[in-house]
Amino acid sequence: MPLASSDKFAAFGRRFSCWFGGFAGAIALIDWGVATLLAASAVSIGGLIGFVGLVVPHGVRLLVGNDYRFVLPLSAIGGAWVLTFGDFLARLGAGELPVGTVTALLGSPLFIWLLYRRSSQ
């Protein structure tokens, strides 16, 4: 909450933020650190299956854009699909793997690829 007004200016870009006296680089670094800590605590408390709830909505948003009329339902469908597919893969081997491990192995490279594809455009 203390950085809310600075974040509002930073959302318009570095030049705009600096024009109003904000430190866009420092604000972005603090925001990134806070978001990382919040995501890490959510995954550590909820387990690796909670990782699906972090990866799928971001992946859907990168694929279809920021229109939440499409993002919300596709995130629900995508999350169900990823967990079902992860459970199917976890049961294929001779021993049963935890589904959280499989979803993390599926979601991490996919999310990194989506971010890489988005940054190269």
Side-chain angles (χ1 to χ4, degrees):
M1 289 309 288
L3 293 175
S5 62
S6 299
D7 284 338
K8 186 174 18 174
F9 288 126
F12 289 110
R14 182 172 290 225
R15 185 180 295 170
F16 184 82
S17 175
C18 290
W19 189 48
F20 280 102
F23 301 102
I27 292 168
L29 186 63
I30 291 170
D31 286 346
W32 204 51
V34 168
T36 301
L37 289 174
L38 288 173
S41 63
V43 170
S44 69
I45 291 171
L48 288 175
I49 292 176
F51 184 70
V52 172
L54 296 171
V55 171
V56 172
H58 288 293
V60 168
R61 189 172 43 96
L62 288 174
L63 288 173
V64 301
N66 290 329
D67 190 358
Y68 287 103
R69 292 178 298 164
F70 300 114
V71 171
L72 290 175
L74 289 176
S75 293
I77 293 168
W81 183 83
V82 167
L83 275 179
T84 302
F85 187 66
D87 184 55
F88 173 73
L89 288 179
R91 293 172 188 251
L92 278 180
E96 192 170 328
L97 291 172
V99 71
T101 304
V102 176
T103 57
L105 290 174
L106 287 174
S108 299
L110 178 68
F111 190 56
I112 291 169
W113 174 76
L114 287 171
L115 287 176
Y116 178 73
R117 190 187 83 164
R118 175 74 175 216
S119 67
S120 65
Q121 288 180 352

